[in-house]
Amino acid sequence: MMEIRIIHFYPDLMNLYGSHANVKVLRRYLENMGCTVTVQRLSPGEKEPLISGEGEPDFVFMGAGTERSARAAMEDLARFDTSLKSWARDGIAMLFAGTAMELLGREIREPDGSVYPGIGLAEFVTEHQERGMTGDVYGYTELYPQAMVGFMNKSGLIRGVESPLLTRLKLGWGNEREGGPEGFHQGNVFASELTGPILVKNPRLLETVAAAVLTRRGVRLPDPLPRDTLGWEAYAVTEEQLRLRISEKAP
Amino acid sequence: MKKFFAVILCKMLHFMGKLTGRGSSLPGKAALGICRDILGRIELPERIIAVTGSNGKTSTVEMIAAVLKARGIKVVWNEEGANQIEGIVTLALSHASLGGRVKGEVLLMEVDERYAAEIFEYLCPTQLVVTNLCRDQLTRNRHPEKVYEDILSAVHPQTELILNADDPLSSCLARGRGKVKWFGVEKCSVSADHPTGAYHDGAYCPVCKGPMEYDYVNYNHIGSYRCPRCGHARPTPDYLGADVDLEAGYLTTGSGVRIRLSLRSIYHGYNVLTAWAVCCNAGIPEEAAASVLSCYRLKSGRVQPFTLGSHRGMLLTSKHENSIAYDTNLRYIASSERDCVVLIIVDAVSRKYFTCETSWLWDIDFDQLNQLHVKKIILSGRYCKDLAECFSFTDLHNWSVQPDICRAVAGIRTRGSEDVYAVTCFSDRDKLLAHVERH
Ligand SMILES: [Zn+2]
């Protein structure tokens, strides 16, 4: 039986908008495919026996937090800076959802003028605004044909993303502007400011991430991949509602 | 002259609105159109009490008003519940003389936390009450820390704050201020040792983000906290709920005054204590305030009985996008003892705006329904599959899905005679009430 190890960074500090559901749904999906999954919940300052003792994880996750929580998270995450970069190079799957995405970049600028560095896994820069950017999102990724859905709830404009996760938006806020590209994707590193359980809301993305995890471990994927049935049914409702919304708004 | 027209127009529209049953924000909106700073131009009562926060505003305001009225104090308050700037303007102007003098001894306002800055720009409350700050309508509010910052920037230095000592976040409003009164509840029969619920917003200190310690929590992150790193800790309450006994149904204050609770929930206990604190602070004798609050039945109550065939039903109106409002109702169902069926409806996330955002469902602790007397759970409405996905991660197995609300209700009607609890939001409750026998 394949053993899969997940590191969940800061599950209490970075857990706005139902972020924790991403780990739940991925875990169940992998378990349904016959894997034994262990999730290590890592809090700031905590030792990390799983990584130091037994080598690399299979999946790394961090969810959304407030701007101040993200800054506190970054203070701790800095000690993983080398590990995270080498994991990314090694093709370990990661998902940084919500504000966590900002920490992958080079730096984060606050409205008061203060600046703090991110991990620097990518070159983008986040500029927090006084006003929040919120609203439903509907767009497309180059990974698969189905539309991505979700909700944007952020204050950061992210500039300099070269390889976005969503390349085309028909509704809502992207990295730098409304309707612009959103998120970040490079190798097996997935990031999106789309809040909430992005893997629950987008079962196709769940399948993609799970496939990335398993392929790296040399597992031959079943064809077709198993489906999270309820997830797909819920997705169908949201996808339709948003599509109707877009056609209503169109001139 | 602008002021005069604004007052006249607002009064006329308010009068017409009353005849046609229209909303209470339109007249204020029209008045603001004529005179943007109208709130600053009229003559307001000497005491202005504003109540804001995430949960419990409406109930608390209603109870304060009841006490003030019972004491013969003329109070102008937003009974109609409109708590944004337009509603506040309607409230003030519809009670004003043509010269713009608000006729009352106390102006008591429920204020939407997001509109505090706009409202307080022209009006300076003598007292500002903050019930608590929790996750609520995050699609508009972003997150509780953002709401905190919005309120902080709106507070006048001369306003006296009446704050929840047990809330680590809203209690920060007192930092660097002198005029603060605290209310809080001691450890009681329903307290837990650690933060409870599906998420832990109280796990980290809102001041320094260090890990927090708790002596006890009364719900979610509301309790007795202490940050070992920076010293942020629960202050000693001036108005104390020394004992909340939900089984016996009373609250005893630190001064030994006993208040009977019409609703046996900790959330209601906090609202009653808050109302009592505000009234005592306004100079009303403790016993007198307590006697009005004892067994006070809320008119804005969110509990509505109905009959469904041979079932006795109860609608527990919740608020979508507010996990604590849901947790409150689920906790109530869990504490009931008779066999029951639970119907949860999520159809329109909001009645005011469009969104498909359902991530707030993951913040609700549905496992609370894991009780022997909860026989069946039915999930209904447009977003029932999102609900179902949440339920698929609980330890519960006795749930089923029926997207069509009418069919879900009919299905319950034709079978059994257990109690029925319907949990849904204001935005969806008429969709249920259309299919049941209302009392
Ligand atoms: Zn602290």
Side-chain angles (χ1 to χ4, degrees):
Chain A
M1 198 179 274
M2 176 72 64
E3 276 187 37
I4 297 294
R5 294 186 299 237
I6 294 177
I7 299 182
H8 184 175
F9 275 105
Y10 319 131
D12 287 330
L13 188 62
M14 300 292 280
N15 188 23
L16 270 175
Y17 319 121
S19 284
H20 66 277
N22 286 306
V23 176
K24 281 185 167 174
V25 76
L26 179 65
R27 176 185 197 148
R28 183 175 69 183
Y29 190 82
L30 292 168
E31 282 173 350
N32 287 345
M33 289 177 80
C35 302
T36 307
V37 182
T38 49
V39 177
Q40 187 186 12
R41 294 162 54 93
L42 202 79
S43 297
E46 210 174 300
K47 287 248 186 313
E48 65 294 357
L50 184 141
I51 308 165
S52 52
E54 301 173 62
E56 297 177 326
D58 295 290
F59 179 69
V60 174
F61 176 76
M62 197 196 306
T66 66
E67 288 74 12
R68 294 184 51 238
S69 291
R71 190 166 189 160
M74 191 56 225
E75 274 176 27
D76 191 73
L77 193 69
R79 66 189 163 117
F80 297 101
D81 141 313
T82 327
S83 309
L84 282 165
K85 282 178 187 153
S86 82
W87 295 342
R89 269 196 307 274
D90 293 350
I92 288 171
M94 303 186 197
L95 173 61
F96 282 70
T99 351
M101 169 178 167
E102 300 171 0
L103 306 185
L104 290 182
R106 186 154 50 86
E107 63 184 36
I108 295 98
R109 300 176 187 155
E110 300 288 15
D112 67 3
S114 67
V115 179
Y116 66 96
I119 283 294
L121 198 74
E123 276 302 298
F124 58 75
V125 168
T126 303
E127 292 167 11
H128 284 156
Q129 313 291 306
E130 295 281 2
R131 279 187 73 92
M133 289 153 259
T134 58
D136 292 85
V137 171
Y138 185 101
Y140 296 96
T141 169
E142 281 170 4
L143 296 168
Y144 50 79
Q146 289 90 346
M148 287 258 283
V149 299
F151 194 87
M152 186 54 75
N153 202 339
K154 65 167 184 176
S155 72
L157 291 177
I158 305 184
R159 302 189 198 281
V161 176
E162 284 176 6
S163 49
L165 180 63
L166 282 76
T167 45
R168 205 155 52 86
L169 292 198
K170 289 181 86 173
L171 179 72
W173 276 94
N175 290 331
E176 291 185 59
R177 59 187 171 83
E178 268 192 287
E182 203 283 325
F184 169 76
H185 174 229
Q186 196 170 69
N188 282 337
V189 178
F190 301 84
S192 169
E193 288 250 62
L194 284 180
T195 55
I198 181 173
L199 297 183
V200 180
K201 293 290 262 186
N202 296 281
R204 190 71 185 85
L205 186 63
L206 169 66
E207 292 167 13
T208 307
V209 169
V213 168
L214 294 173
T215 308
R216 194 187 135 273
R217 292 288 299 272
V219 175
R220 260 193 51 199
L221 299 174
D223 184 26
L225 284 165
R227 286 166 71 88
D228 176 30
T229 317
L230 278 173
W232 277 103
E233 288 174 5
Y235 167 79
V237 172
T238 297
E239 194 275 333
E240 185 192 24
Q241 287 297 308
L242 290 178
R243 200 157 21 83
L244 289 172
R245 179 75 177 172
I246 292 163
S247 62
E248 271 169 27
K249 282 180 107 182
Chain B
M1 209 55 185
K2 262 184 6 184
K3 174 170 90 176
F4 177 73
F5 281 124
V7 174
I8 290 269
L9 180 67
C10 185
K11 278 177 165 300
M12 274 169 51
L13 289 173
H14 182 64
F15 178 73
M16 281 156 56
K18 273 198 160 168
L19 292 180
T20 54
R22 292 283 297 278
S24 45
S25 65
L26 184 85
K29 196 173 179 183
L32 283 166
I34 296 181
C35 184
R36 224 190 85 73
D37 57 350
I38 185 71
L39 280 177
R41 292 185 180 221
I42 54 179
E43 196 187 322
L44 294 163
E46 215 160 276
R47 186 176 281 269
I48 303 173
I49 305 170
V51 181
T52 193
S54 305
N55 291 302
K57 296 186 284 284
T58 311
S59 306
T60 304
V61 164
E62 183 187 326
M63 289 190 282
I64 298 169
V67 174
L68 297 180
K69 281 191 288 187
R71 297 294 295 175
I73 296 167
K74 189 154 189 309
V75 54
V76 172
W77 65 294
N78 42 359
E79 204 167 345
E80 291 156 44
N83 60 7
Q84 304 183 353
I85 181 141
E86 297 85 2
I88 303 293
V89 170
T90 307
L91 170 72
L93 298 193
S94 60
H95 288 87
S97 66
L98 291 180
R101 192 176 61 80
V102 177
K103 293 173 279 186
E105 293 162 76
V106 176
L107 175 62
L108 169 65
M109 308 175 287
E110 173 186 338
V111 170
D112 184 311
E113 53 279 25
R114 254 171 318 139
Y115 290 83
E118 224 179 315
I119 295 164
F120 298 164
E121 189 182 342
Y122 301 110
L123 170 162
C124 173
T126 47
Q127 277 79 29
L128 172 66
V129 186
V130 184
T131 55
N132 52 58
L133 289 175
C134 307
R135 297 185 182 193
D136 172 46
Q137 260 193 36
L138 300 187
T139 50
R140 307 182 111 191
N141 293 336
R142 295 226 45 241
H143 52 68
E145 284 179 11
K146 172 73 179 138
V147 176
Y148 167 80
E149 284 160 19
D150 289 348
I151 295 175
L152 182 68
S153 65
V155 184
H156 292 267
Q158 61 269 44
T159 297
E160 180 182 34
L161 298 180
I162 301 177
L163 300 176
N164 187 342
D166 304 347
D167 178 8
L169 181 55
S170 62
S171 65
C172 293
L173 288 166
R175 291 168 63 79
R177 292 178 68 101
K179 286 165 83 175
V180 182
K181 290 278 167 49
W182 299 100
F183 60 90
V185 175
E186 290 289 86
K187 188 172 188 166
C188 62
S189 58
V190 295
S191 304
D193 293 338
H194 304 288
T196 56
Y199 57 92
H200 302 311
D201 272 353
Y204 292 91
C205 172
V207 180
C208 75
K209 292 289 171 186
M212 291 258 267
E213 290 174 0
Y214 283 81
D215 292 328
Y216 61 88
V217 294
N218 288 327
Y219 66 87
N220 287 65
H221 59 278
I222 305 296
S224 179
Y225 52 86
R226 181 174 61 262
C227 171
R229 191 193 286 175
C230 78
H232 177 52
R234 178 201 193 222
T236 308
D238 302 289
Y239 301 100
L240 180 70
D243 183 28
V244 176
D245 186 334
L246 294 180
E247 277 194 7
Y250 63 77
L251 179 159
T252 311
T253 70
S255 48
V257 177
R258 186 173 274 211
I259 306 172
R260 285 222 155 264
L261 300 173
S262 63
L263 277 171
R264 295 180 181 194
S265 89
I266 185 67
Y267 313 91
H268 184 62
Y270 268 92
N271 294 342
V272 168
L273 177 70
T274 312
W276 182 74
V278 173
C279 294
C280 295
N281 189 59
I284 291 165
E286 293 187 357
E287 291 279 0
S291 78
V292 180
L293 293 171
S294 263
C295 293
Y296 181 82
R297 285 191 186 279
L298 291 163
K299 292 180 187 64
S300 61
R302 295 184 170 148
V303 180
Q304 194 167 336
F306 61 86
T307 307
L308 179 58
S310 40
H311 299 272
R312 245 180 24 168
M314 203 183 268
L315 167 65
L316 304 173
T317 307
S318 195
K319 282 194 281 182
H320 291 339
E321 301 191 78
N322 183 319
S323 55
I324 291 189
Y326 268 83
D327 280 347
T328 310
N329 289 328
L330 300 182
R331 193 157 162 174
Y332 181 81
I333 295 168
S335 70
S336 70
E337 280 161 2
R338 292 158 53 97
D339 285 0
C340 65
V341 176
V342 179
L343 171 64
I344 305 177
I345 303 172
V346 181
D347 195 57
V349 175
S350 167
R351 59 179 164 176
K352 291 188 180 149
Y353 48 89
F354 169 88
T355 182
C356 295
E357 163 68 341
T358 51
S359 68
W360 51 276
L361 292 173
W362 294 92
D363 287 341
I364 301 170
D365 186 7
F366 290 113
D367 269 309
Q368 291 185 91
L369 292 178
N370 203 350
Q371 308 285 340
L372 281 174
H373 67 276
V374 177
K375 297 297 176 195
K376 222 168 24 177
I377 301 160
I378 297 150
L379 312 173
S380 189
R382 176 168 284 150
Y383 296 101
C384 63
K385 298 292 168 63
D386 291 80
L387 265 171
E389 184 76 327
C390 294
F391 270 81
S392 74
F393 285 96
T394 63
D395 292 329
L396 295 154
H397 300 288
N398 55 341
W399 53 273
S400 58
V401 179
Q402 173 49 263
D404 187 282
I405 298 168
C406 178
R407 283 195 194 165
V409 175
I412 298 171
R413 181 191 292 275
T414 49
R415 249 167 283 150
S417 59
E418 315 92 333
D419 286 353
V420 175
Y421 290 105
V423 182
T424 192
C425 181
F426 291 104
S427 58
D428 286 338
R429 71 172 176 186
D430 290 341
K431 298 167 190 166
L432 167 89
L433 292 172
H435 306 294
V436 299
E437 294 85 63
R438 296 171 72 160
H439 290 192

